[in-house]
Structure formats: structure tokens, C-alpha cells
């Protein structure tokens, strides 16, 4: 047997041994590999689903099903943080409910009984094993008990924060530990302060805006310059390993 063939056989044996040694419930395969197909909501029901942000970690869909309209059957391949508009169509996003949606097949609506307007922050790495929990820095916005920050949903993959600053209010200095999808349905004028003394003024925002923070956020504080509450939502993405789960989190 030549050297190259011998090395190949040794590599195959090593991979097989590693697979046998994995803990129960895990498999030696790639993770973060769930893919869309022709049943995906965007492909099967394009009139009702619009991609407004996508990268390797998340896909954000805006979903609309007007009263009495027909929505075809479709699939949501990834679980999501689901924002459901509970206010009327003339008051978009005035009130919302937030929950974790398992994803999977949807029957759609033969005839919707009401106007439906939702936002889905789909999490792409739910077939990866979550990383072990780590201590948060003392400056983390939740850990310092910032009165403007509330945890509205949390599981192994996400922590969703509601950031609500009253008119004229200013946050205590804090950090954000994880990358996040940040959802603004509207905003009063505000200004952001950073530790280097920089001040960034932000004008009023009158429509939905979704952004992605790819890194943790350093010490900062936001001041509400308006006459209505400042409201934002951070869908923070917790770290995961590169080990695949046998069954994706649903």
C-alpha cells in the first residue's frame, strides 16, 4: 500500500472513531445547513412574504395577509422570533406580541379572517448545538438592571430585549454582549453617546427599520429627545458550536 492510500485509510478510520465517540443526540456533520426549497414561504407565497434582511445567521421576513385574501400553503424552514402586529391596519405596529415560532409547514389561509401583519426573524443555526453558557460582562444591559431594558423572550439561541426609554429619558451606560437583529417600528428623535465622547444625533423614524449588529456593542447610552417613548427590540443571537444536533431545535 503506498503512503497516500495509507494516509487516506487512516483519515477515514479517525473520522469513524470520532463519530462513535460523540455524545448521544449529536452527529458528526455540518450544522447551519438547513436550506430552502420550492415550498419556502418566499417561493410558494411571494405575494405575502418579503425578505427585508438576510445574512449567514438570520433571515428577516415581513409577512402580510390582508382580510379575505388567500395565502397558499408554504413552509418556514427555520424557527423564528415572531412579531405579530395586534393593532389595527391603520395603526401599524402600535402594539405587538412576541413569541418563539417553531417553523415548519403552514397550511396558509383559504380566506384570512383579518388583516395580518407579522415580522419573522428566522434563526439559521438552530441545527447547531448551543455553546455552553458563559458569564456576561458586568456592563451588559440586562446585568446592570437597566430600567429601560426588559427581557421579553429567551431560549438557548436568542435573547430578545425590549428597549423602551421614556420621553426625555436617558439610559445608564451599558454594553450589549451578542450580535443582534435590531427592530424599530418607529422612533422619536434621539441621540447616542459613546465612551469616547462622541454624540450621534438620530432624526425621527416614521416607518419600520431592521438592522443587524454583527458584533457586541461597546459602552453607550441613548437619550430620547422626543415626546413619545423610544421603543426598540434587540433579537440577540447567542453563540453556538460547530457540532450538529441530530434533530434541529423546533
Amino acid at each position: 500500500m503506498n503512503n497516500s492510500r495509507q494516509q487516506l485509510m487512516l483519515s477515514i478510520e479517525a473520522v469513524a472513531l470520532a463519530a462513535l465517540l460523540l455524545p448521544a443526540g449529536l452527529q458528526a456533520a455540518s450544522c447551519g445547513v438547513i436550506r430552502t426549497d420550492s415550498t419556502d414561504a418566499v417561493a410558494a407565497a411571494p405575494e405575502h412574504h418579503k425578505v427585508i434582511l438576510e445574512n449567514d445567521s438570520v433571515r428577516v421576513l415581513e409577512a402580510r395577509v390582508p382580510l379575505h385574501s388567500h395565502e397558499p400553503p408554504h413552509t418556514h424552514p427555520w424557527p423564528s422570533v415572531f412579531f405579530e402586529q395586534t393593532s389595527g391596519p391603520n395603526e401599524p405596529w402600535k402594539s405587538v406580541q412576541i413569541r418563539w415560532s417553531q417553523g415548519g409547514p403552514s397550511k396558509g389561509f383559504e380566506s384570512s379572517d383579518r388583516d395580518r401583519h407579522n415580522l419573522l426573524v428566522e434563526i439559521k443555526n438552530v441545527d447547531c448545538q448551543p455553546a455552553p453558557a458563559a458569564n456576561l460582562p458586568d456592563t451588559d444591559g440586562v446585568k446592570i438592571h437597566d430600567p429601560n431594558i426588559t427581557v421579553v423572550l429567551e431560549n438557548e439561541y436568542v435573547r430578545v430585549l425590549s428597549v423602551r426609554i421614556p420621553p426625555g429619558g436617558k439610559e445608564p451606560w451599558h454594553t450589549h454582549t451578542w450580535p443582534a437583529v435590531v427592530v424599530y417600528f418607529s422612533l422619536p428623535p434621539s441621540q447616542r453617546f459613546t465612551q469616547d465622547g462622541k454624540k450621534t444625533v438620530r432624526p425621527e423614524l416614521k416607518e419600520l427599520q431592521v438592522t443587524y449588529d454583527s458584533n457586541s456593542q461597546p459602552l453607550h447610552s441613548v437619550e430620547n429627545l422626543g415626546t413619545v417613548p423610544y421603543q426598540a427590540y434587540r433579537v440577540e443571537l447567542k453563540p453556538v458550536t460547530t457540532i450538529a444536533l441530530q434533530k434541529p431545535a423546533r
Side-chain angles (χ1 to χ4, degrees):
M1 183 183 295
N2 60 39
N3 287 339
S4 60
R5 181 173 177 80
Q6 185 177 21
Q7 289 174 354
L8 175 61
M9 293 301 295
L10 288 173
S11 297
I12 293 173
E13 290 172 1
V15 170
L17 178 61
L20 290 174
L21 294 177
L22 280 173
L26 300 178
Q27 59 184 9
S30 300
C31 66
V33 295
I34 298 173
R35 296 290 180 262
T36 61
D37 59 23
S38 60
T39 69
D40 176 56
V42 178
E47 293 183 4
H48 304 281
H49 298 87
K50 178 175 70 173
V51 177
I52 59 176
L53 185 152
E54 185 168 14
N55 56 37
D56 290 341
S57 299
V58 297
R59 182 177 73 171
V60 182
L61 300 183
E62 185 175 12
R64 290 178 178 269
V65 186
L67 175 67
H68 300 318
S69 64
H70 168 72
E71 182 190 40
H74 58 276
T75 301
H76 291 285
W78 301 286
S80 66
V81 176
F82 192 96
F83 291 78
E84 179 182 5
Q85 178 180 310
T86 53
S87 53
N90 296 326
E91 298 179 305
W93 306 116
K94 184 176 181 179
S95 60
V96 297
Q97 288 186 347
I98 301 171
R99 68 179 187 271
W100 179 253
S101 174
Q102 298 294 344
S106 171
K107 294 180 180 179
F109 297 98
E110 285 296 328
S111 179
S112 181
D113 60 356
R114 58 186 171 88
D115 287 290
R116 300 173 186 270
H117 191 188
N118 305 317
L119 193 74
L120 290 76
V121 181
E122 299 178 318
I123 311 300
K124 291 186 175 181
N125 59 12
V126 292
D127 55 349
C128 301
Q129 180 184 6
N135 291 329
L136 297 175
D138 291 338
T139 54
D140 180 85
V142 173
K143 196 167 183 179
I144 69 167
H145 302 293
D146 182 343
N148 306 284
I149 294 178
T150 305
V151 178
V152 296
L153 186 156
E154 185 167 14
N155 59 28
E156 292 178 304
Y157 292 95
V158 298
R159 183 178 70 172
V160 182
L161 306 182
S162 167
V163 181
R164 187 176 180 87
I165 308 170
K170 185 179 179 182
E171 296 178 302
W173 290 90
H174 65 282
T175 61
H176 293 299
T177 304
W178 296 306
V181 173
V182 187
V183 178
Y184 308 99
F185 295 118
S186 64
L187 282 180
S190 62
Q191 54 188 2
R192 177 186 174 98
F193 301 90
T194 50
Q195 197 176 22
D196 58 6
K198 185 178 179 181
K199 179 176 69 175
T200 304
V201 176
R202 180 170 191 168
E204 180 182 10
L205 178 67
K206 296 183 179 181
E207 59 185 12
L208 171 68
Q209 184 180 92
V210 179
T211 63
Y212 184 72
D213 288 345
S214 59
N215 299 298
S216 59
Q217 295 294 301
L219 276 171
H220 65 280
S221 173
V222 173
E223 182 179 13
N224 183 354
L225 302 177
T227 58
V228 298
Y230 174 109
Q231 177 68 68
Y233 296 95
R234 290 184 60 88
V235 179
E236 299 183 318
L237 308 180
K238 294 184 177 181
V240 296
T241 68
T242 57
I243 301 173
L245 292 176
Q246 189 171 31
K247 292 182 179 180
R250 286 292 190 190

